[in-house]
């Protein structure tokens, strides 16, 4: 059947002046900060956090427990568990705090970190990275990540390049020891 309206699931917090256009699917426990906007046919996964002035292009998908920084313009899909921002949106790391709050155990967070490294830091193309992820990482949460990427029609957002500005300030940049805590 054709969805004639949008579907907003349970326990969402949708602040003032947000826009959810036609045929959108908003998951459980989604937070949309003031003026976050979803164009038609967007999908937002459970537990996602869209900061203020975020704009999603039509047919974009945001994965489970993804966090988008303010003023982000999304024109490609953002995989689950990621932190993204910018214009256009780039994946800039893992939503570690969201994963901890959701109760993901350290072993699962480590697998997600390894999947992130294979996708965004290894130099492999998406097909090669997914092949390595499927072979090495077996948690159900990583399967959610792989399934999301394989189902993407728009393609997934790129990661940070050497020239790309990060969400983290130099003062807030993670050290190697902080990365090990993930």
């Amino acid at each position: 059947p054709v969805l004639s309206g949008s579907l907003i699931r349970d326990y969402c917090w949708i602040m003032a002046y947000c826009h959810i256009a036609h045929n959108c699917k908003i998951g459980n426990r989604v937070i949309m900060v003031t003026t976050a906007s979803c164009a038609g046919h967007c999908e937002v996964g459970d537990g996602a956090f869209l900061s203020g002035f975020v704009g999603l292009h039509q047919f974009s998908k945001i994965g489970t427990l993804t966090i988008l920084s303010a003023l982000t313009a999304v024109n490609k899909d953002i995989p689950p568990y990621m932190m993204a921002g910018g214009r256009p949106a780039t994946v800039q790391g893992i939503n570690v705090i969201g994963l901890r709050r959701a109760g993901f155990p350290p072993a699962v967070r480590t697998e997600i970190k390894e999947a992130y490294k294979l996708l965004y830091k290894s130099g492999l193309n998406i097909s090669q990275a997914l092949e390595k992820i499927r072979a090495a990482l077996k948690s159900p949460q990583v399967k959610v990540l792989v399934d999301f990427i394989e189902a993407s029609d728009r393609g997934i957002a790129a990661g940070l390049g050497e020239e790309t500005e990060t969400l983290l300030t130099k003062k807030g940049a993670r050290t190697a020891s902080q990365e090990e805590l993930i």
Side-chain angles (χ1 to χ4, degrees):
V2 176
L3 182 65
S4 61
S6 292
L7 175 63
I8 301 172
R9 304 298 269 179
D10 297 329
Y11 307 106
C12 293
W13 189 10
I14 301 171
M15 296 182 196
Y17 307 108
C18 288
H19 177 74
I20 300 170
H22 60 89
N23 302 80
C24 289
K25 296 178 185 175
I26 309 297
N28 293 302
R29 294 181 181 358
V30 170
I31 297 172
M32 293 179 67
V33 177
T34 304
T35 68
S37 296
C38 298
H41 301 277
C42 290
E43 294 182 23
V44 180
D46 293 344
F49 187 105
L50 283 63
S51 298
F53 298 97
V54 165
L56 273 59
H57 189 279
Q58 63 187 8
F59 295 100
S60 295
K61 294 178 184 162
I62 306 300
T64 298
L65 292 171
T66 293
I67 186 167
L68 301 175
S69 70
L71 302 169
T72 295
V74 176
N75 61 1
K76 298 250 185 196
D77 296 344
I78 310 292
Y81 321 125
M82 301 298 153
M83 176 176 64
R87 298 178 63 85
T90 56
V91 173
Q92 301 188 12
I94 302 165
N95 182 9
V96 177
I97 293 169
L99 297 178
R100 285 185 186 145
R101 287 180 181 166
F104 284 36
V108 171
R109 293 195 312 263
T110 298
E111 280 204 7
I112 291 169
K113 178 182 175 184
E114 292 305 314
Y116 167 78
K117 285 181 181 179
L118 287 168
L119 279 169
Y120 290 106
K121 301 291 183 183
S122 67
L124 300 171
N125 68 36
I126 299 297
S127 298
Q128 294 167 332
L130 288 176
E131 187 177 318
K132 287 190 179 277
I133 291 168
R134 272 191 233 96
L137 307 172
K138 303 298 181 189
S139 72
Q141 294 83 355
V142 170
K143 183 174 180 355
V144 167
L145 175 66
V146 170
D147 291 347
F148 179 95
I149 294 167
E150 289 178 335
S152 175
D153 294 324
R154 298 185 63 80
I156 62 170
L160 280 178
E162 292 178 21
E163 310 279 321
T164 309
E165 186 175 333
T166 179
L167 291 172
L168 302 171
T169 63
K170 289 183 180 173
K171 183 177 179 184
R174 292 188 187 124
T175 64
S177 62
Q178 288 170 322
E179 283 292 321
E180 291 170 7
L181 294 175
I182 296 173

